[in-house]
Amino acid sequence: MSRIELKSLRKEFGSTVAVKSLDLQIEDGEFLVLVGPSGCGKTTTLRMLAGFEDPSDGEITMNGSIVNDLEPRDRDIGMVFQSHALFPHKYIYDNIEFGLRMKNVPEAERRKAVEDVAEMVHITPLLNKRPAQCSGGESQRVALARTLVTHPSTFLLDEPLSSLDAKLRRELRAEVDRLHTELKKTFIYVTHDQEEAMTLADRIVVMNEGEIEQEGSPMEIYSNPKSYFVADFFGSPSMNLLDGEVISKEGKAVFQHGQMEISVPDTYANLGSGKVTLGIRPEHVVVSTADGQIPETIDLVEPMGKDTLLYFEAEGERPFVVIVEGLILDDYKSGQQVQLTFPDDKVYFFDEAGQRIR
Ligand SMILES: Nc1ncnc2c1ncn2[C@@H]1O[C@H](COP(=O)(O)OP(=O)(O)O)[C@@H](O)[C@H]1O
Ligand SMILES: [Mg+2]
């Protein structure tokens, strides 16, 4: 059992405020992902949880008791880091066994525990090798094994897959997911990778500049972002974001972005006269060769296998992207004019401060 609570948790390093005032509850057995850009305070939060960093203010409670002053080894947590930090001269077996020796577990019990955990993460053939003989993916499996073997009730993982290539990362991501399902322990997982967050999390906590920007299920975060920051962070390719204004034209509300004009529901007319940003995800734009709201010329067609990306020139720094299902090279060509439609219920609006208004 482990329920963790962070109350007004804060960490300053000199004049840098790494974590401002974090309030967060983590349920027993939950897979919580802390996600956000580099420098937003993820590692600092995790290190305070582990006991490697003293909070400047606030409380950490585990199962109702304040643990601020507990040593890391007394907190019933296991931590997996981004770089594997294995003992280079010890065999993999000894690397995994190390934590158990520290806890004075008897020899026979240690052997069984190491062998079991090696089997669990598929590294039995590596036990009599040394770290230099392991690939990056194998080393991360060893790092997982070394933490698993001590049976903590909470696992803290700090970007454990970020040093691996894309294919290995997906493979090990599935492994982490399976371990969580099997062990039913609490996992607190830090990443800057939105895709990792979306696929692994029960709940996502999006951090920005030392604060929680939004928390919710992956679906909530994706379909109901409360700010420009969150909308832009999740999704690949990213949400299309067009700066402009909502004006009234012949009694109708129209969103105007450069030459582009899109009629929007009349209720949008009261968004005010200031600048707004319209957001629409690439998969929600409807493309047609017949009719639609906005005539545009395809700049580039990029087949992705199961989908095709259509790029359009936009006034911002990023091209406007549309995802169309299937390989549709015969239907659309670069230079071709098509009609785009933004379905009303798929359009987001953000105000100048980046807050979601519709
Ligand atoms: N030991 C430290 N000394 C000084 N500043 C630090 C230290 N650790 C982190 N910081 C600063 O705190 C902020 C948050 O860092 P960190 O928690 O590592 O972010 P993240 O893991 O999200 O990339 C950054 O501005 C970073 O430079
Ligand atoms: Mg970090």
Side-chain angles (χ1 to χ4, degrees):
M1 258 291 287
S2 102
R3 185 175 192 281
I4 297 170
E5 204 163 347
L6 311 183
K7 290 182 195 156
S8 311
L9 198 65
R10 183 179 176 88
K11 180 67 186 180
E12 297 163 12
F13 296 103
S15 61
T16 306
V17 183
V19 175
K20 278 183 189 147
S21 177
L22 217 60
D23 287 295
L24 189 62
Q25 283 105 45
I26 303 143
E27 298 304 327
D28 187 36
E30 187 173 25
F31 200 124
L32 184 93
V33 176
L34 287 181
V35 66
S38 178
C40 71
K42 305 179 298 293
T43 294
T44 304
T45 304
L46 217 57
R47 286 176 57 82
M48 287 194 279
L49 268 165
F52 299 132
E53 211 73 76
D54 284 330
S56 309
D57 205 356
E59 271 174 19
I60 304 171
T61 65
M62 294 186 180
N63 293 325
S65 339
I66 297 174
V67 299
N68 286 40
D69 296 327
L70 277 192
E71 291 296 316
R73 63 169 179 278
D74 298 322
R75 292 192 185 195
D76 195 17
I77 48 118
M79 186 145 172
V80 182
F81 300 93
Q82 177 174 358
S83 57
H84 348 97
L86 302 174
F87 296 110
H89 303 296
K90 287 189 198 280
Y91 289 107
I92 297 303
Y93 181 96
D94 300 309
N95 264 285
I96 298 172
E97 189 197 29
F98 181 77
L100 299 176
R101 276 183 184 270
M102 296 296 284
K103 289 184 165 183
N104 298 316
V105 176
E107 154 85 43
E109 221 175 289
R110 292 204 304 265
R111 174 160 291 278
K112 173 149 184 12
V114 173
E115 285 170 357
D116 285 353
V117 85
E119 202 163 308
M120 185 178 237
V121 294
H122 314 296
I123 53 164
T124 305
L126 301 179
L127 288 176
N128 53 7
K129 291 190 176 175
R130 293 183 206 271
Q133 297 169 276
C134 298
S135 68
E138 288 171 343
S139 301
Q140 272 317 59
R141 284 177 188 270
V142 173
L144 278 171
R146 198 176 46 170
T147 306
L148 288 168
V149 80
T150 59
H151 293 294
S153 60
T154 301
F155 289 88
L156 307 180
L157 302 104
D158 191 0
E159 313 225 10
L161 311 182
S162 64
S163 62
L164 306 175
D165 66 46
K167 186 167 173 289
L168 259 180
R169 217 181 311 147
R170 269 198 300 278
E171 209 174 290
L172 271 166
R173 189 172 79 197
E175 197 86 347
V176 169
D177 204 8
R178 181 180 64 84
L179 287 172
H180 175 252
T181 308
E182 270 176 29
L183 298 168
K184 300 181 175 65
K185 298 289 173 68
T186 308
F187 279 50
I188 305 175
Y189 189 103
V190 159
T191 181
H192 65 269
D193 178 356
Q194 57 90 22
E195 189 183 317
E196 234 168 73
M198 292 293 287
T199 49
L200 285 171
D202 291 325
R203 185 159 55 112
I204 292 176
V205 173
V206 188
M207 288 183 68
N208 183 18
E209 296 182 356
E211 288 181 296
I212 295 179
E213 179 85 12
Q214 187 172 358
E215 58 176 282
S217 69
M219 240 4 251
E220 271 163 30
I221 298 278
Y222 191 76
S223 54
N224 201 12
K226 61 171 253 201
S227 64
Y228 181 105
F229 178 86
V230 175
D232 193 28
F233 195 81
F234 288 88
S236 176
S238 307
M239 186 184 280
N240 295 299
L241 292 159
L242 306 171
D243 294 334
E245 274 177 279
V246 176
I247 57 161
S248 177
K249 205 167 176 179
E250 290 152 22
K252 293 276 173 205
V254 172
F255 173 76
Q256 198 170 37
H257 165 79
Q259 298 298 309
M260 184 194 271
E261 283 188 354
I262 308 156
S263 60
V264 292
D266 284 340
T267 50
Y268 288 34
N270 57 13
L271 288 179
S273 58
K275 300 243 173 295
V276 293
T277 300
L278 177 151
I280 183 158
R281 293 206 183 274
E283 65 270 34
H284 292 150
V285 180
V286 179
V287 190
S288 164
T289 48
D291 47 23
Q293 290 174 315
I294 313 147
E296 283 291 335
T297 305
I298 299 175
D299 204 24
L300 183 73
V301 179
E302 190 173 71
M304 302 289 288
K306 100 179 156 44
D307 311 304
T308 302
L309 301 185
L310 305 180
Y311 291 90
F312 298 84
E313 259 181 56
E315 294 198 356
E317 60 233 50
R318 294 204 301 231
F320 188 92
V321 189
V322 179
I323 301 180
V324 186
E325 239 181 88
L327 268 178
I328 45 133
L329 290 175
D330 293 338
D331 303 343
Y332 298 107
K333 304 246 182 289
S334 108
Q336 183 182 351
Q337 182 156 85
V338 292
Q339 300 282 339
L340 305 180
T341 302
F342 298 177
D344 285 342
D345 61 338
K346 302 294 188 198
V347 172
Y348 302 89
F349 279 101
F350 305 94
D351 67 14
E352 251 185 310
Q355 291 307 301
R356 167 97 174 275
I357 40 183
R358 290 293 149 113

